[in-house]
Amino acid sequence: MITGPSGVGKGTLVARLLGRHPEIWLSISATTRAPRPGEEDGRHYRFLSREAFEAQVAAGGFLEWAEFAGNLYGTPRQPVEEQLAAGRPVLLEIELEGARQVRRTFPAGQQLLIQPPSFAELERRIRGRGTDAEAAIQKRLARARIELEAVAEFDACLVNDDLEESLKALELLLGLSGT
Ligand code: 5GP
């Protein structure tokens, strides 16, 4: 399971990892956040209304869920259980509160934290993305500080400075051989 503040480059890192290791199965989360330009329903997220999301919470349909910067995010339970039963390596890319819930459910799962080279760099990346309003940026930065302070809870952490180097380090931590 991979956690890391908004803007740290988790998405790019995970996409590259999956490109090199197609045997890994990435969970597609549900969210009440509006799609960003280029994001597709069912590929990046399942985009749900708050009502639909809450109904799924009530039905026990999420392995974990949390509120992040004003929106709800959750990991649909059934597909994860199916993939685990089939013996596939499962990857979750989720924020800190969800990571804490998963830690209770799957204590044996490996939990990694991705860190930025510095907080200033993180802020530069979040702003550079240009997709979030100022209020959302402030919420994401505040949350980032909390997530980075939780580093000791994780099995390992990785500073995402150079993408290729980070990818290699990630493969090593996950026990995957590079290509
Ligand atoms: P974003 O809006 O930038 O796509 O995601 C915001 C945060 O929500 C990121 O830290 C991301 O890892 C996290 N996130 C994405 N999906 C899930 C999920 O299913 N559960 C939880 N707890 N967090 C998620």
Side-chain angles (χ1 to χ4, degrees):
M1 200 199 59
I2 292 183
T3 299
S6 180
V8 80
K10 302 182 295 284
T12 311
L13 204 52
V14 166
R16 290 288 300 277
L17 183 75
L18 295 180
R20 282 163 66 145
H21 302 280
E23 73 277 14
I24 298 174
W25 181 81
L26 174 69
S27 165
I28 308 292
S29 298
T31 184
T32 62
R33 167 167 79 60
R36 295 195 181 117
E39 283 184 338
E40 284 171 40
D41 186 45
R43 197 160 91 83
H44 298 91
Y45 279 108
R46 287 304 323 276
F47 294 101
L48 299 181
S49 66
R50 200 167 253 264
E51 294 71 33
F53 192 102
E54 283 169 354
Q56 200 161 330
V57 169
F62 290 121
L63 197 63
E64 61 73 34
W65 67 275
E67 181 151 6
F68 181 94
N71 291 298
L72 305 177
Y73 295 81
T75 304
R77 179 188 300 277
Q78 196 186 342
V80 171
E81 289 180 348
E82 284 169 3
Q83 296 296 325
L84 288 174
R88 276 185 87 177
V90 166
L91 184 63
L92 308 182
E93 192 246 280
I94 59 179
E95 54 67 68
L96 181 63
E97 291 305 321
R100 286 175 171 156
Q101 295 170 45
V102 172
R103 196 174 297 149
R104 287 195 287 271
T105 325
F106 295 105
Q110 197 180 9
Q111 300 216 330
L112 307 180
L113 181 72
I114 313 291
Q115 297 178 306
S118 67
F119 201 81
E121 173 62 15
L122 184 73
E123 180 162 0
R124 196 187 64 76
R125 289 185 196 173
I126 293 179
R127 292 188 181 283
R129 191 156 64 184
T131 52
D132 299 317
E134 181 61 26
I137 290 174
Q138 290 304 331
K139 282 188 195 165
R140 282 168 185 269
L141 288 171
R143 240 346 228 264
R145 285 193 193 278
I146 294 170
E147 296 202 326
L148 294 173
E149 280 167 9
V151 57
E153 291 178 25
F154 288 81
D155 297 314
C157 74
L158 194 156
V159 177
N160 189 20
D161 194 352
D162 175 80
L163 183 62
E164 269 310 309
E165 289 303 313
S166 301
L167 197 55
K168 278 191 207 139
L170 188 58
E171 287 177 329
L172 212 63
L173 285 168
L174 296 175
L176 303 163
S177 52
T179 45

